[in-house]
Amino acid sequence: MAAKLSDLAPGQRARIIGISGNGPTRRRMMDLGMVAGTAISAIRTAPLADPVEFEVRGYNLAIRRRDAATVAIELL
Amino acid sequence: MVSPSTRTLTVALAGNPNVGKSTVFNTLTGLNQHVGNWAGKTVERTEGTVRRSGLTIRLVDLPGTYSLTALSPEELIAREYILDARPDVVVHVVDASNLERNLYLTLQLAELTDHLVLALNMRDLAERRGIRIDLAALEAELGVPVVPMIAERREGHEALVSAIEAIASDRRPVDPLRVKASPGVVEVVEAIADLLPAEAGAPRTRAWWARKLLEQDVAALARARREPAWAPALRRADQERQTRGLEDLEAEGVGAAYALLTEIMNRVVERGPSRSLDWTDRLDRLVTGRWTGIPFLGLIFGGMFWATFMLARPLTDRLNGLLETLGGWLTRGLPPGPLTDFLLEGPWAGFSTVAGFFPTILIFFTLFAILEDSGYLARAAFVMDRVMGAMGLHGRSFLPLLMGFGCNVPAIMATRTIENQGDRLLTILVNPLMLCQARLVLFVFLAGTFFPGSRGALVLLSLYGLSAGLVIAVSMLFKRLLFQGEPSSFILELPPYHRPIPRNVLTHAWRSARGFLQRAGTQITLMTAVLFVFTHWPGPGIERSLAGQVGQLLAPLGSTMGLDWRLMVSLFGGFLAKEGALASLAVIYGVGEDGLSAALQQAVGGWSAFVYMVVSLVYVPCFSTIVAIHRETLSWRWTLLASVYGLGLAWGLGAGLWQLGRVLGWA
């Protein structure tokens, strides 16, 4: 089973394989540049452990763990 | 001599959030702005005029969006405007320091129009971050003019105006780059486009609709179902999607667009070392840090709360004093009689109430705009999302809720930054449950009257606790009942910190305050007229008015909560403004406000007084809040729900507490 974006610890880097599901959340993430092959790294988690801040394509994006769990990744 | 004819162009301004689009807009149009709403939407619409010799530009500021997918009202507005209004030129404002993602929207805009120009903003920031962009190469790659700008320093505006004019008069050929779909997809799209009626637009527009039908875009499907002439195209799209395995056309399309952008970036952008060693990152370690994030948020929002409601108070007092003086002049100037009473205590009182909000709203939105512009509000949402998410709300809901402790009116207006409509409605619906300062005036008086000493503080504290508890419980309940199945997600850009621009901040604050006054002014003035008649006619005194009679009819209901008819009637007085209940009580008991304490102590028991406070907290939002709710939802159904659910809740709580008190021997 592939790793999930929600498993990525701060400081780690990964490549996106794909986003499961079908809803608007998936489309939103893709529109923001999270398409297959994109490099993404986890920066930090919020004080209460959720959401998580990521860096993708040179800018920073906060995503809830539950949404991040739909993103399949491979560690770099 | 006949003056040279002036050409008028309609130009739309598009762009991502946080790219300085409003700075470009404000600098170009100056004070020539008109603010309204997009038809039937709660999204603000701003238009302005730019005048140059022989040229007038009507500039329409489209809502800030990341894409033109039909995921939010903002995105729909932006793309429908370009499709339907066909502006002469579309200006895409992009952030040079974050080019790749910004250009994704450029590619989407290019699908809708040929007349596109790129306003490459924030070049200074990009340079500090070591990003060097080859402008000529970028222009060649994209096939559209690129105008470098630093909107903050007013650099590049004239070049932009010239570019707009050149494109509109076809002196500057534009051939925007478009993403190429795989040949198989192109074939299918063309086949579907051919089935669309000619009214759907030019061939390229039809192809765009065809593609959207294949992607099962919500708005495209809705339109196809509405218009019979689209039926064949819709059927074909469904068929093709199933037979050709085009289920994931979206991923393919977005993937192709970003692949193209990556190539372009490699050719036009050179990355050197960043000279601004990312202080955004350093600041974020404090602002969103594990141990520091929440205390910092408490400090900022506490300060904001204090500033809004404490700084506003002397101003409000002075304004009220002024209005009272004016009222005094009116009293002396008008012949005494029922009509004068009506005018002064009805419409004039209503107008004074609305005017009294002005300093608070102005100060609140000035601070709000500073926090939003600086990038802090996004961090605050990030820090608080866990808590808000547990309540079925969004991280962005936190500030509006907190501000509800001050005044529900600006709090509800502040929900505009919540992107998801469900989250936004929910935040609006529960906001009136927050114990605002007007209710605090009432409660401090009653607590002082009935619970002297430290017991009074305990009573106030328990009311605050109840207020917060109800917000949590009711939002969880409404989330289940009303917004079930609404996907809740939190995907939020944390933009680099940025020094707020005074001009933008003041424009924003002024617009919010003026918008409320214009709308609320008329509605509240009208409503107070009605309310005056209700509480005075036939009279004399509220107890012999219609309201008094209704209140007496409600006596049996009141008795289930231990409230006599006088207390019930006074609730009508609290409808215009919550502290108004005090004035009503004074009238009913036939004493001045000075004698009210003694009169109440004689007539009402302590536990009844507590129940009365709980009922006052919950029963209805004040009228100004209802007006704000309607303004922000543009829906009578939601406004009605927000206005009346409290009645049932108040009764349930009141009756429950009264019975509990009886069992425990407190009543």
Side-chain angles (χ1 to χ4, degrees), chain A residues 30 35-36 57, chain B residues 104 179 249-262:
Chain A
M30 293 196 305
V35 295
R57 293 184 190 269
Chain B
Y104 176 68
V179 187
L249 202 61
E250 281 191 299
E252 198 188 307
V254 182
Y258 271 105
L260 182 62
L261 290 177
T262 307

Side-chain angles (χ1 to χ4, degrees), chain B residues 94-176:
Chain B
V94 301
D95 172 1
S97 70
N98 185 4
L99 197 55
E100 193 173 7
R101 192 207 63 211
N102 274 260
L103 290 183
Y104 176 68
L105 182 61
T106 313
L107 293 179
Q108 294 200 319
L109 290 167
E111 289 174 355
L112 300 180
T113 179
D114 277 337
H115 284 176
L116 192 61
V117 56
L118 206 69
L120 189 69
N121 195 24
M122 302 198 185
R123 291 197 57 218
D124 47 341
L125 183 66
E127 271 168 27
R128 280 203 298 279
R129 297 178 114 203
I131 299 167
R132 286 233 306 280
I133 300 165
D134 181 341
L135 294 180
L138 184 62
E139 243 175 25
E141 293 277 354
L142 295 175
V144 304
V146 175
V147 180
M149 294 184 84
I150 305 176
E152 250 184 278
R153 287 198 242 134
R154 302 170 172 244
E155 286 175 24
H157 293 85
E158 292 316 311
L160 181 61
V161 173
S162 309
I164 289 170
E165 199 189 3
I167 294 170
S169 52
D170 286 323
R171 275 188 283 116
R172 176 77 162 84
V174 186
D175 182 20

Side-chain angles (χ1 to χ4, degrees), chain B residues 14-26:
Chain B
N16 286 185
N18 316 309
V19 298
K21 188 160 70 71
S22 42
T23 315
V24 173
F25 181 83
N26 287 338

Side-chain angles (χ1 to χ4, degrees), chain A residues 5-65:
Chain A
L5 185 60
S6 49
D7 301 330
L8 204 63
Q12 281 186 318
R13 234 169 112 72
R15 181 176 293 123
I16 294 171
I17 296 174
I19 308 174
S20 63
N22 220 335
T25 306
R26 172 175 188 256
R27 175 71 200 236
R28 168 64 80 227
M29 289 195 271
M30 293 196 305
D31 279 338
L32 287 167
M34 294 171 59
V35 295
T38 310
I40 187 166
S41 38
I43 307 290
R44 59 173 69 81
T45 62
L48 301 170
D50 195 14
V52 182
E53 181 179 349
F54 298 97
E55 200 234 275
V56 62
R57 293 184 190 269
Y59 73 98
N60 293 17
L61 201 58
I63 305 175
R64 267 188 201 158
R65 281 186 190 278

